[in-house]
Amino acid sequence: MYGINGRNGAPTTVCEDVSATAKIGYGRVSTRDQNPDSQRDALTEAGCDKIFIDKASGKLASRPELDKALDYARAGDTFVITRLARAARSLKHLIELAESLRERGIDLLVLKQGIDTSTPTGRLAFHMLGAIDEFQRELIVEGTHEGLASARSRGRTGGRRPTLTATQVRMARQMYDSEEYTVQQIADTFHTSRATIYRALSDEGDFAYVVYRSSKPKVDNDGRSYGETGQGDHSRAQYDSDRMYWPLDDAKRHRAKAMVYVTDGIVTRIRAIDPNGQWTPDQRANGTYWEIPVTAPLTHDEITKQFPTLDLTLGDELPRQRGKQREHLAL
């Protein structure tokens, strides 16, 4: 004999306890050729009763398996992930996800970061994340108002027209989500650059500035060392090399939150960008290149706490695509 009260409307036998709680596991690989086995193994070891895995890249792509996992979960269940970045597109999305789970009576367990919202300590961690999110929004709003006032005082009332229309952005997103086109093919379709497509798909949010290098030290025409100096991550020479000089539009500076240095395909250092630091333009480049106020190299724990949605940490592999020296990674 069957009923109709199972999860998602599935029939249940009379002897089945539909009120029993479950652990729902969710994982995601950040590139289309990564293997999700390590996440699946961790979720299985954690005792997950059902596991959902997405193959999508960070903030840009849709996540059908995440939607299925959240739809499957019921009050009293525990939603299990290995890292915060696996489930959240951004810090804002992370807060919204946690609040939605709380309202539905579902606990959140993050295996690698020791967060369990069934405990007071775990709930406090999310309250702190919410406070950080609110603080960041206030800084952005304040900076925007100051920038607009400054522009108006100089007689400027608007920016340049967007390269892509809203319809073209929607089409580009559909092409990307289909996994049948590369970013270059999408850019060629709309007769624009890859950078424009990346900006359109990332919604122009906060980002980490990723720099690709080789391990061989280099010196410019003025005798300044740049790249990997070979003098140690915490040396003054490496600090100077890491902070100057980088091309970045003035309007984007307030959205740059971290610098990620990739050496020979491996993430070797991650530095935060000091929100109160001084950005100094390179006078030789008419202000288009900047000395960026970066912090000391972050530890694994500091990276996790400061950038919970950054899908990278020290030692991760990040091979450079041919010809690419820098890119913006959405947070």
Side-chain angles (χ1 to χ4, degrees), residues 38-106:
S38 61
Q39 291 182 63
R40 192 186 302 275
D41 291 344
L43 295 170
T44 300
E45 186 176 349
C48 290
D49 303 284
K50 193 169 182 65
I51 296 174
F52 299 82
I53 300 289
D54 266 322
K55 293 184 178 180
S57 296
K59 184 178 179 180
L60 306 185
S62 60
R63 303 184 183 184
E65 293 302 309
L66 175 60
D67 295 336
K68 292 178 183 178
L70 295 175
D71 184 56
Y72 184 85
R74 294 291 182 267
D77 288 350
T78 301
F79 187 70
V80 186
I81 53 179
T82 56
R83 292 181 180 276
L84 290 171
R86 297 305 177 191
R89 296 177 176 87
S90 63
L91 182 57
K92 178 181 178 181
H93 179 237
L94 174 64
I95 301 300
E96 292 174 349
L97 175 62
E99 182 63 18
S100 174
L101 293 174
R102 186 192 66 78
E103 291 177 351
R104 295 172 58 192
I106 300 169

Side-chain angles (χ1 to χ4, degrees), residues 156-177:
R156 296 178 57 187
T157 58
R160 66 179 183 180
R161 296 176 61 184
T163 305
L164 299 177
T165 66
T167 300
Q168 288 174 324
V169 171
R170 286 195 298 271
M171 293 176 63
R173 188 180 298 280
Q174 291 172 359
M175 293 174 69
Y176 185 91
D177 287 348

Side-chain angles (χ1 to χ4, degrees), residues 41-270:
D41 291 344
L43 295 170
T44 300
E45 186 176 349
C48 290
D49 303 284
K50 193 169 182 65
I51 296 174
F52 299 82
I53 300 289
D54 266 322
K55 293 184 178 180
S57 296
K59 184 178 179 180
L60 306 185
S62 60
R63 303 184 183 184
E65 293 302 309
L66 175 60
D67 295 336
K68 292 178 183 178
L70 295 175
D71 184 56
Y72 184 85
R74 294 291 182 267
D77 288 350
T78 301
F79 187 70
V80 186
I81 53 179
T82 56
R83 292 181 180 276
L84 290 171
R86 297 305 177 191
R89 296 177 176 87
S90 63
L91 182 57
K92 178 181 178 181
H93 179 237
L94 174 64
I95 301 300
E96 292 174 349
L97 175 62
E99 182 63 18
S100 174
L101 293 174
R102 186 192 66 78
E103 291 177 351
R104 295 172 58 192
I106 300 169
D107 291 322
L108 175 64
L109 177 61
V110 187
L111 300 177
K112 301 296 185 181
Q113 292 159 306
I115 295 176
D116 182 355
T117 60
S118 66
T119 67
T121 302
R123 289 191 291 272
L124 175 61
F126 271 99
H127 291 159
M128 294 175 64
L129 285 174
I132 293 172
D133 182 49
E134 180 65 25
F135 177 65
Q136 288 183 332
R137 283 199 300 270
E138 291 178 357
L139 287 178
I140 291 172
V141 170
E142 180 182 356
T144 299
H145 288 168
E146 291 177 352
L148 290 173
S150 177
R152 283 193 294 269
S153 69
R154 290 169 171 79
R156 296 178 57 187
T157 58
R160 66 179 183 180
R161 296 176 61 184
T163 305
L164 299 177
T165 66
T167 300
Q168 288 174 324
V169 171
R170 286 195 298 271
M171 293 176 63
R173 188 180 298 280
Q174 291 172 359
M175 293 174 69
Y176 185 91
D177 287 348
S178 73
E179 299 189 1
E180 297 177 2
Y181 305 90
T182 65
V183 173
Q184 185 61 61
Q185 288 172 328
I186 298 172
D188 292 342
T189 299
F190 297 103
H191 306 289
T192 188
S193 66
R194 290 175 60 204
T196 297
I197 297 299
Y198 276 119
R199 286 196 297 269
L201 295 181
S202 65
D203 295 326
E204 289 288 2
D206 293 345
F207 64 89
Y209 198 133
V210 182
V211 179
Y212 296 93
R213 294 169 163 173
S214 73
S215 56
K216 184 178 179 180
K218 298 179 180 180
V219 179
D220 66 13
N221 293 333
D222 295 328
R224 298 184 304 191
S225 296
Y226 68 100
E228 295 301 303
T229 65
Q231 298 186 34
D233 289 350
H234 294 271
S235 68
R236 180 69 191 191
Q238 192 61 64
Y239 172 74
D240 288 340
S241 175
D242 285 352
R243 66 190 174 94
M244 57 186 182
Y245 284 98
W246 301 107
L248 191 62
D249 291 343
D250 189 32
K252 295 181 181 179
R253 286 192 290 140
H254 71 279
R255 293 198 298 270
K257 303 301 179 182
M259 296 287 293
V260 179
Y261 305 92
V262 182
T263 306
D264 296 335
I266 302 295
V267 177
T268 52
R269 276 184 315 286
I270 296 178

